[in-house]
Amino acid sequence: MSTTATGQPGTEEPEHKPKFTFPSALTILAIVTVAVWLLAFLIPSGAYDRNDKGAPVEGSYHRVDSGQSFVDRLNDLFLAPVNGLYGIQDEKSGVVGPDMAGELYGSAGVFLFVLAIGAFITVVFATGALDRGIGRLAHRLGGRGAMLIAGVMVVFSVLGTVEGFAEETLGFYGLIVPLMLALGYDRMVAVGAIILGAGIGVLCSTVNPFATGVASSAADISLGDGIVLRFVMWVVLTAVTIAYVIRYAKRVQKNPARSLSGFLPGDREQTASDAGEVPELTRLHKAVLVLVALVFAFMIFSVVPWSSALTGKADATPYGFELGWSFPQLAALFLVAAALVGCVARMGEQKLSSTIIQGAADFISPALVIVLARGVTVIMNNSKVTDTVLHSIEGVVKGTSSGLFAIIVFVVNLPLAFLIPSTSGHATLAMPILAPLADFAGVSRSVVVTAWQAASGWMNLWVPTTAVTIGGVALAKVGYDKYLRFVWPLLAILFVLICVFVALGAALT
């Protein structure tokens, strides 16, 4: 005789089928790695001849033997995470491996940067200053959270369009996520404000030397060519994106049940909109908060190429005050800052050491995600199939009308942007092939630059091969599947707007 869970006879207990759980970011990238590795067996290996600058020469594509045996390819798959961390690219062959001699190809700098950020943020939270400061700020803003979201997104968008501010945003999740929760929003609002704010700026780069600058140089045009079109795009697309995030934020604030990301234990308790008295900041708390603000302000100052941004010239001579820092220096900055905050807060050696270690440990997951994403590009590089993809694009865009040509350039660059999430690497490979094709279509080369960077930027808003997106959702503790549900309507809107802008730009040239 069957019984129910309460012991009553007559009914059978229903079977509970396990629900499908979307894989973690690490699993997704592992699947992508294997898929790209398998595709490399099907895509013929090939190469373009290179000029003195290392750029491919149009019409010079030819099939080549990758020189890889099955064992070599298997070794690339096996070592993908290792190469993604500290793989070295050989100067002569271009092959990436851990025992090569040449330039660092892996993401060791970004990896350590994320761990250093984790240590710094954890030390700051351990002082109690950030929690209390967020509470005071949320209490003062009250119902003006939309202004805060817009302000954050505008700042990130400006930095993105001027100097390609993207990976650097990984350091802001520890500040923005608690603030958005304190204002009654969810973690998705923080993700949208950071990823989409900076991402839309990079998508509409105006004088960004790492995207527009590299692409313009490869296309043999000035960085200022096409800046009017890109500026108008930036204004319109930034406004649309901000409105999209604010609309979602207001919906969640009004009805938390409509949150796409949901809430983790303790998230709702951080809401301070109805709070009465908020504890005052002590002098020590104020000192820590001032130090935090100075550290982030200095980080931004240290990475901006001021001469290129202010003059509009990609090859402008750096000003004397420019630091030109990158991830190794930024990692050192945040490690030193973590120790300095601990000293200011009088934490003591034992507590400070253990807090730094705990902070780095908490951020190991997003750091590993970044490494795996880089490992995918290593497989593409070593199997020599990237130029074959470029060659197929070369055949597609020839012989079309100007408006259609611009749209095709945008569309055909989308899969390439997935394979090469690095904007500078994508530009270096693609632009010398695509830019000369614009001459045959009667289109300004600047339109090709705009269409290319829009494709790169659009893809980098969501693809799992970019550290900005996959690392960001991991830092915010938001499921990647949930982020896709949140962002796909905006992606469709942006796709249409980009096609309209590049088509009009081509028609007016």
Side-chain angles (χ1 to χ4, degrees):
M1 180 181 292
S2 299
T3 60
T4 65
T6 58
Q8 299 298 322
T11 58
E12 292 186 1
E13 183 178 358
E15 295 183 3
H16 295 283
K17 295 182 179 180
K19 294 182 179 179
F20 171 76
T21 303
F22 198 84
S24 67
L26 289 171
T27 303
I28 291 172
L29 280 171
I31 295 172
V32 170
T33 301
V34 174
V36 171
W37 182 75
L38 292 173
L39 284 173
F41 283 94
L42 304 177
I43 302 174
S45 56
Y48 283 95
D49 294 335
R50 258 54 180 182
N51 58 22
D52 295 339
K53 298 181 179 180
V57 178
E58 182 186 6
S60 66
Y61 173 82
H62 55 281
R63 296 286 178 86
V64 297
D65 184 1
S66 66
Q68 287 190 310
S69 64
F70 179 78
V71 174
D72 292 331
R73 291 176 182 264
L74 197 61
N75 188 59
D76 275 348
L77 178 63
F78 180 65
L79 290 177
V82 176
N83 285 326
L85 178 62
Y86 63 90
I88 305 296
Q89 187 169 35
D90 184 75
E91 296 178 354
K92 296 181 178 180
S93 65
V95 174
V96 176
D99 53 356
M100 298 292 180
E103 294 186 0
L104 178 67
Y105 192 89
S107 56
V110 183
F111 179 85
L112 185 56
F113 170 70
V114 171
L115 298 187
I117 280 288
F120 174 72
I121 293 298
T122 303
V123 170
V124 172
F125 268 107
T127 67
L130 197 56
D131 303 65
R132 190 170 295 190
I134 289 171
R136 296 292 302 176
L137 180 60
H139 180 71
R140 288 190 176 186
L141 285 173
R144 294 177 290 174
M147 294 179 59
L148 176 66
I149 295 172
V152 169
M153 294 185 71
V154 167
V155 170
F156 283 159
S157 184
V158 169
L159 292 172
T161 192
V162 170
E163 62 94 14
F165 198 78
E167 286 90 349
E168 295 86 349
T169 59
L170 295 173
F172 288 88
Y173 282 89
L175 298 175
I176 303 299
V177 170
L179 180 57
M180 293 305 174
L181 292 174
L183 290 171
Y185 304 128
D186 64 0
R187 292 172 178 268
M188 191 68 76
V189 175
V191 170
I194 298 174
I195 294 180
L196 300 180
I200 204 67
V202 175
L203 188 157
C204 304
S205 294
T206 50
V207 293
N208 172 12
F210 306 111
T212 313
V214 174
S216 297
S217 176
D220 198 24
I221 61 175
S222 167
L223 179 60
D225 288 349
I227 193 171
V228 175
L229 173 64
R230 295 194 294 270
F231 178 77
V232 175
M233 275 185 64
W234 175 74
V235 172
V236 174
L237 270 60
T238 298
V240 169
T241 304
I242 291 175
Y244 183 86
V245 175
I246 291 178
R247 179 176 176 271
Y248 170 82
K250 289 182 176 180
R251 186 179 69 188
V252 170
Q253 190 178 46
K254 184 177 180 180
N255 183 7
R258 302 186 69 182
S259 168
L260 293 177
S261 63
F263 296 92
L264 298 178
D267 281 358
R268 299 300 294 154
E269 286 73 14
Q270 294 192 44
T271 302
S273 57
D274 298 323
E277 292 296 325
V278 178
E280 293 288 340
L281 292 170
T282 66
R283 293 181 62 182
L284 186 147
H285 290 147
K286 292 179 180 178
V288 170
L289 291 176
V290 168
L291 183 58
V292 170
L294 290 175
V295 169
F296 278 103
F298 184 77
M299 181 192 77
I300 295 172
F301 167 80
S302 67
V303 300
V304 172
W306 294 101
S307 59
S308 298
L310 296 178
T311 64
K313 298 179 181 179
D315 56 349
T317 303
Y319 297 137
F321 61 82
E322 288 187 39
L323 296 179
W325 279 13
S326 188
F327 293 109
Q329 293 86 355
L330 293 178
L333 169 66
F334 280 102
L335 287 175
V336 172
L340 184 58
V341 168
C343 292
V344 170
R346 305 184 186 93
M347 294 181 67
E349 185 272 332
Q350 290 291 330
K351 183 178 180 180
L352 177 58
S353 298
S354 61
T355 304
I356 289 177
I357 293 171
Q358 182 60 50
D362 290 343
F363 278 61
I364 192 68
S365 177
L368 287 175
V369 164
I370 293 168
V371 169
L372 286 182
R374 187 60 170 170
V376 175
T377 64
V378 173
I379 293 175
M380 292 289 299
N381 176 83
N382 287 357
S383 58
K384 299 184 185 301
V385 299
T386 303
D387 279 9
T388 301
V389 177
L390 285 172
H391 178 62
S392 65
I393 294 175
E394 181 183 358
V396 170
V397 298
K398 284 185 176 180
T400 59
S401 64
S402 60
L404 182 59
F405 169 82
I407 295 175
I408 290 178
V409 169
F410 167 66
V411 173
V412 298
N413 269 285
L414 296 177
L416 191 57
F418 174 84
L419 299 175
I420 312 174
S422 168
T423 53
S424 57
H426 185 179
T428 302
L429 287 171
M431 289 310 301
I433 303 300
L434 297 176
L437 301 179
D439 300 335
F440 298 101
V443 174
S444 170
R445 292 190 173 195
S446 65
V447 175
V448 174
V449 171
T450 301
W452 159 81
Q453 71 181 33
S456 178
W458 189 86
M459 290 294 286
N460 283 337
L461 291 177
W462 67 274
V463 294
T465 53
T466 172
V468 177
T469 298
I470 206 71
V473 297
L475 286 169
K477 298 181 180 179
V478 170
Y480 179 65
D481 59 322
K482 297 175 181 177
Y483 173 71
L484 292 181
R485 286 178 58 196
F486 164 73
V487 80
W488 79 260
L490 176 64
L491 292 174
I493 295 171
L494 295 177
F495 187 96
V496 173
L497 290 175
I498 290 169
C499 289
V500 171
F501 271 109
V502 297
L504 286 176
L508 294 176
T509 57

